[in-house]
Amino acid sequence: MDPWLQDVRTGWRSLWRHRRISVAAVLCIALGVGVNSVAFSTIDGLLFKPLDLPAAHRLVTAYVSWPGFEHASFSFANYRDIERDNEVFESFAAARLVTASVAPKAVSSGRGASNAGVTEGVAAEAGAQRLMAQLVTAHYFDVLGVAPARGRAFQGDSDELIGSPAEVILGHDFWRRRFSVEEEVLGETLRINGRPFRIIGIMPRGFHGTYRLVRPDVYLPVTMAQLLVPKANLENRGNGWLLSVGRLSQGVSIDQARASLNRLAEGMEQQHPRLLDGWGLTLVSGGEQDLPPPLRSRLASASRWILALAALVLLVACANVASLLLARDEGRRRELAIRRALGAGFGRLSRQLVTESGLLALLGSTAALSLAWVCSRWLPAALPDHLPVRMEPALAPDGRVLAYALVLCLVTAVVCALAPALRGARGEIYSALGSRGRASGRRRWGLGSFHSTLVIAQLALSLVLLASAGLFVRSLQQAQRIDPGFRSEGVLLAAIDPSLVGYDEPRGRELYDRLLQRVASLPGVESAALGEVVPLGVGGGQQRGILVEGYEAAPDERMNPDFNVVGSGYFELMEMALVAGRTFDSTETPGSLPTVVVNRTMAERYWPPGEAVGGRLSYGGPWARVVGVVEDIQYQSLGEAPRPYLYLPWEQVWEASMELHVRSQSPADQLVPLLRREVATLDPALPVFSVRTLREHTASALYLPRLGAGFVGAFGLLALGLAVVGLAGVMAYGVRRARSEMGIRIALGADPRRIFWQVLRQGLSVVSVGVALGLLTAVGVGQLLAGFLYGTSHADPVTLGLAAGCLVLVAAVAVSVPARRAMKVDPVSVLREE
């Protein structure tokens, strides 16, 4: 070990002796590798990090497939048949994530007042809070291969759980938040949605089921679905509301499982031809349920481009490091030549240089991981507050990110540092010992030099990143200009669900009517209305099959438009344009004839022009009459193609979970306390959650474009900075190498201003070549990015011109510094040195 330790000590001394170059190289490596580590950590955490479950590679997610729709939910009845009859799963389970209500303060359960988490009377539980509950079938924990850390899991089969005592298993994080660690909670009672549940278990730390981003607080038997999911029906085979996950048997591949389940699906279709006509089963490897496969596919496509653009930043950093170490190599030619003259062999010098490269990689990787750690704390903060997800655990750097960063650092250090240094180790001894550092400036740092080639590559890649960033920013600007079809200013949203605290439909309607009256009378409030779905929400779409009177559907046409349940006054509050007919009003009551409102696209698709109002359709019940047509709006994403949309009257279609919309002239921070006070006056146990303005809500539709613009913009600025530093360094190095020549020319009568312009011209010639190559490359890259842009051409001349102009301007400033230094060379000092 002694020779290696000696190399380390010598390497540290060498890095310290050339500390300016060493610090610059470490910063370049840190920025290049850090940017790639952040991108990799984000993408890996969201999409690819394995679930922390035993034998996770054998887990698969199962979906119901229909013609034109491959990833639908299971009904409990269909899940039960597949669990019983399949031949490919070691175990099979289903789950559903829902919101529930629990009070923050407790009333003693009779075991002692110390039970801070026990609740017994919902009427006394002021300020009830929302929690995330997961309904699970009996063998859910068996499928995932995890048992409760304390207590037990649910016992028996799913059928046997029907009518069994209400039991709950706590998530570890929820248990730590709500109870003291020393407290014995097993056997205690927790009241959820107004019903007592007996605590039978606590899950281990770090267990979150099949979710990356969502953290369930409690786990409940799926047979309690009626308490938490009013639409859930355990016997209705056509009512899909469960997501299924299975563990493949040993030796069974996913292709074999697909073939076996397809045969099983065909048999079930023959048994229930009316309900299961055309249905099938789809398997997806991995048990993750945070992101549906279509969204996962789109994110994976975008992630490839993020990684590719991050790699361009690393290439710029590599070129910068190579330029810096080539400059150091020139300064060490005499040192390396002396060491060779004293007997050091090529292998000995190479080992020393490898050690120095490793030290640079170590320092660079440490700084890069520090940058990744800081960004892992910042990125979750950029997520909209009203989304019930936690990104911190998914984005935290782990061993995979560490390995990725170390490999990048080692490759960067070896490729960029070792190769230039080895040129010095192989150099001619006598020429190196006789050299006094004189060189022709044109030969050493003109267009044909290796240094300039590196700078040209840096500039071209930087322009590509700047242009890409500009396209994303322009796209974001265009997206913000898209008219969503409603006015979001001055609207406050609040999610309310009376069923969480035990309200049935009659009591719930009475509560909402009183709440609307009280809120509408608040100072500054113009109107208040109810809507189940808020436009432009993340994952806010829902569909319903329909029949239209007089319309004959094509054989492969699926008539399942998106829909929303809204109350009277909703369209006026949102300021949506009325095309024909009327909107919902006081004539819509639970006992009146069913009515609906459709959007323009739906009216034009299913009725002749001008005949939609008065037409009839059925959405699973009696015929409903179309009373109005409203203008299209942006429903799920900005810039989407027009889609049929159906509005159902809340006064006729009961939905417990609704979004209260309040249009007011008062600021939101003044209105929120008043709103919470009115809700607490009506029922102190009723939770109010996801309070935000409509503008804040719709901003989530631009979250991914903003994230993309932020990532690529940061990449472009970093690449620009690295390229400018590299250009300035190369020019300064060239001026130092040509100092003798310049001094002699000034001594012979040359005008210093001519030398200034000569250096400036040579620098700008390098810049012009880099800009030209960069523009050509940017046009091609922009064409590949066109699918991610809103209303922006991939070859937008304004964006390309601004990016090129910015690069030329900054580069000209960087070149002018060494050019001014060149014109101030003292000829007397140069002649004395000669």
Side-chain angles (χ1 to χ4, degrees):
M1 294 295 294
D2 287 343
W4 288 102
L5 292 176
Q6 182 182 0
D7 288 342
V8 171
R9 289 194 295 268
T10 305
W12 280 119
R13 288 198 297 267
S14 176
L15 294 180
W16 178 253
R17 186 165 58 250
H18 303 91
R19 50 187 174 273
R20 291 185 178 180
I21 291 179
S22 299
V23 169
V26 167
L27 288 177
C28 290
I29 293 175
L31 290 174
V33 176
V35 162
N36 280 268
S37 298
V38 170
F40 176 80
S41 176
T42 303
I43 294 167
D44 182 58
L46 292 177
L47 297 176
F48 305 115
K49 183 183 291 185
L51 291 174
D52 187 16
L53 296 170
H57 64 281
R58 290 168 53 200
L59 294 177
V60 295
T61 302
Y63 295 93
V64 172
S65 63
W66 299 95
F69 193 71
E70 296 185 356
H71 304 100
S73 304
F74 277 83
S75 67
F76 181 75
N78 288 335
Y79 153 76
R80 190 168 45 190
D81 289 350
I82 294 172
E83 180 192 29
R84 182 188 64 239
D85 299 334
N86 84 86
E87 300 176 349
V88 293
F89 292 120
E90 182 179 291
S91 51
F92 191 63
R96 166 70 181 265
L97 193 69
V98 297
T99 57
S101 171
V102 68
K105 295 183 179 180
V107 177
S108 173
S109 67
R111 282 194 170 190
S114 62
N115 288 326
V118 179
T119 60
E120 283 295 336
V122 72
E125 296 170 353
Q129 294 181 343
R130 181 180 68 166
L131 79 163
M132 303 303 294
Q134 190 170 21
L135 294 166
V136 301
T137 54
H139 300 297
Y140 179 76
F141 300 110
D142 296 334
V143 171
L144 303 186
V146 178
R150 300 173 63 180
R152 62 172 176 84
F154 302 121
Q155 295 177 342
D157 294 329
S158 295
D159 287 338
E160 297 172 359
L161 292 179
I162 298 177
S164 63
E167 298 174 334
V168 61
I169 298 175
L170 306 182
H172 187 275
D173 294 345
F174 177 75
W175 169 62
R176 293 294 299 269
R177 289 197 311 267
R178 192 172 181 90
F179 300 89
S180 65
V181 179
E182 299 80 9
E183 185 178 355
E184 179 56 50
V185 299
L186 296 181
E188 296 291 352
T189 301
L190 187 72
R191 186 173 289 272
I192 300 174
N193 282 17
R195 178 169 180 172
F197 284 78
R198 185 165 61 92
I199 301 172
I200 64 169
I202 301 172
M203 295 308 297
R205 180 194 300 271
F207 175 80
H208 307 295
T210 53
Y211 296 97
R212 296 179 186 274
L213 306 180
V214 181
R215 300 295 182 255
D217 296 311
V218 297
Y219 300 88
L220 303 171
V222 73
T223 50
M224 296 295 157
Q226 292 288 352
L227 179 67
L228 296 109
V229 186
K231 296 181 182 179
N233 188 317
L234 297 180
E235 301 302 327
N236 186 346
R237 194 171 293 274
N239 183 12
W241 54 281
L242 289 169
L243 290 177
S244 294
V245 60
R247 180 176 291 274
L248 294 174
S249 300
Q250 288 284 359
V252 176
S253 69
I254 191 170
D255 292 332
Q256 292 172 330
R258 288 192 180 107
S260 177
L261 290 179
N262 283 333
R263 292 192 296 270
L264 179 59
E266 291 174 0
M268 294 176 62
E269 182 179 357
Q270 293 174 2
Q271 296 177 15
H272 310 280
R274 187 176 64 86
L275 293 175
L276 303 182
D277 182 27
W279 93 308
L281 299 174
T282 300
L283 288 186
V284 178
S285 60
E288 299 91 344
Q289 295 178 355
D290 286 72
L291 302 173
L295 179 57
R296 181 180 293 275
S297 177
R298 290 195 293 271
L299 287 178
S301 176
S303 68
R304 286 192 288 269
W305 281 109
I306 293 292
L307 287 176
L309 295 175
L312 292 183
V313 177
L314 183 61
L315 288 177
V316 174
C318 288
N320 218 2
V321 173
S323 297
L324 290 169
L325 296 184
L326 277 172
R328 186 193 69 173
D329 179 33
E330 293 291 341
R332 296 180 67 187
R333 289 183 68 206
R334 290 175 60 82
E335 172 200 339
L336 296 174
I338 291 172
R339 296 182 65 183
R340 290 191 63 191
L342 292 176
F346 173 76
R348 181 66 182 82
L349 292 179
S350 298
R351 192 179 71 188
Q352 176 61 50
L353 296 172
V354 168
T355 303
E356 293 181 15
S357 300
L359 293 174
L360 282 177
L362 177 63
L363 295 172
S365 63
T366 302
L369 288 174
S370 299
L371 177 62
W373 183 85
V374 171
C375 290
S376 71
R377 296 297 186 270
W378 170 78
L379 285 174
L383 195 71
D385 294 334
H386 64 274
L387 297 181
V389 300
R390 289 186 58 200
M391 293 180 64
E392 294 89 342
L395 302 187
D398 56 7
R400 293 156 62 89
V401 178
L402 175 63
Y404 183 81
L406 288 176
V407 169
L408 286 183
C409 281
L410 287 173
V411 171
T412 302
V414 171
V415 171
C416 299
L418 184 58
L422 285 179
R423 189 177 67 173
R426 287 178 170 176
E428 179 64 37
I429 295 178
Y430 298 106
S431 61
L433 291 174
S435 172
R436 298 180 60 89
R438 296 185 300 271
S440 167
R442 184 175 299 277
R443 185 176 71 253
R444 288 290 184 181
W445 50 282
L447 273 176
S449 69
F450 183 63
H451 291 81
S452 298
T453 302
L454 289 175
V455 172
I456 288 172
Q458 285 180 279
L459 293 170
L461 293 175
S462 299
L463 183 55
V464 171
L465 286 165
L466 278 177
S468 300
L471 289 175
F472 273 97
V473 172
R474 290 271 291 177
S475 172
L476 182 60
Q477 292 175 342
Q478 293 296 327
Q480 291 173 330
R481 294 192 184 103
I482 294 175
D483 182 11
F486 55 87
R487 190 166 73 90
S488 60
E489 293 80 4
V491 177
L492 183 70
L493 302 172
I496 299 176
D497 188 351
S499 68
L500 297 182
V501 288
Y503 280 73
D504 56 12
E505 179 177 347
R507 292 179 60 218
R509 288 193 180 278
E510 180 184 0
L511 174 72
Y512 273 124
D513 289 340
R514 293 171 60 194
L515 178 61
L516 289 172
Q517 294 174 7
R518 296 179 71 97
V519 171
S521 64
L522 291 175
V525 172
E526 299 175 359
S527 58
L530 297 175
E532 183 185 13
V533 177
V534 183
L536 297 178
V538 178
Q542 54 181 354
Q543 296 180 336
R544 177 167 288 191
I546 63 169
L547 295 174
V548 176
E549 186 178 39
Y551 180 83
E552 294 186 7
D556 58 345
E557 182 179 3
R558 290 187 58 81
M559 298 173 59
N560 53 345
D562 294 296
F563 75 96
N564 194 3
V565 178
V566 302
S568 60
Y570 172 83
F571 300 101
E572 291 78 10
L573 183 145
M574 298 288 284
E575 298 188 9
M576 296 169 57
L578 181 64
V579 177
R582 65 173 178 86
T583 59
F584 299 135
D585 54 29
S586 58
T587 61
E588 272 74 39
T589 63
S592 62
L593 292 176
T595 58
V596 296
V597 170
V598 301
N599 70 342
R600 179 191 290 272
T601 297
M602 186 167 176
E604 293 175 350
R605 175 170 299 185
Y606 297 121
W607 289 277
E611 297 184 13
V613 176
R616 297 199 306 171
L617 60 82
S618 171
Y619 51 84
W623 291 104
R625 187 168 300 279
V626 178
V627 297
V629 179
V630 295
E631 192 59 76
D632 294 340
I633 66 172
Q634 304 289 287
Y635 298 101
Q636 294 189 18
S637 62
L638 289 170
E640 66 183 5
R643 61 173 66 203
Y645 207 86
L646 177 66
Y647 297 92
L648 310 179
W650 176 81
E651 288 78 7
Q652 295 178 343
V653 180
W654 165 247
E655 291 292 344
S657 177
M658 299 294 286
E659 293 274 357
L660 177 64
H661 297 57
V662 182
R663 180 171 292 281
S664 172
Q665 299 175 354
S666 303
D669 57 350
Q670 297 179 11
L671 183 60
V672 170
L674 300 178
L675 173 62
R676 291 188 180 276
R677 184 193 66 189
E678 296 300 330
V679 173
T681 300
L682 293 174
D683 189 340
L686 183 64
V688 179
F689 47 90
S690 295
V691 179
R692 74 277 187 201
T693 65
L694 182 56
R695 175 172 287 277
E696 291 171 341
H697 173 89
T698 55
S700 62
L702 294 173
Y703 178 71
L704 289 180
R706 281 198 182 98
L707 190 62
F711 263 118
V712 181
F715 295 167
L717 292 177
L718 283 175
L720 176 63
L722 290 172
V724 167
V725 170
L727 175 63
V730 167
M731 297 303 299
Y733 167 72
V735 169
R736 282 199 310 271
R737 296 289 295 167
R739 183 171 177 272
S740 299
E741 172 191 339
M742 294 175 181
I744 293 174
R745 291 174 61 189
I746 292 176
L748 294 175
D751 187 352
R753 288 176 296 181
R754 292 191 59 186
I755 294 179
F756 171 83
W757 288 110
Q758 179 187 0
V759 174
L760 192 64
R761 280 197 307 273
Q762 290 181 348
L764 291 180
S765 65
V766 174
V767 174
S768 62
V769 174
V771 169
L773 293 176
L775 285 174
L776 293 176
T777 309
V779 172
V781 172
Q783 188 171 5
L784 298 175
L785 294 174
F788 301 98
L789 304 178
Y790 291 93
T792 303
S793 170
H794 69 277
D796 181 42
V798 175
T799 301
L800 294 177
L802 288 174
C806 177
L807 182 61
V808 170
L809 179 62
V810 176
V813 174
V815 171
S816 65
V817 175
R820 290 180 62 84
R821 189 178 301 160
M823 66 182 291
K824 295 180 180 180
V825 172
D826 184 8
V828 176
S829 300
V830 171
L831 293 174
R832 285 175 178 170
E833 292 175 1
E834 292 296 319

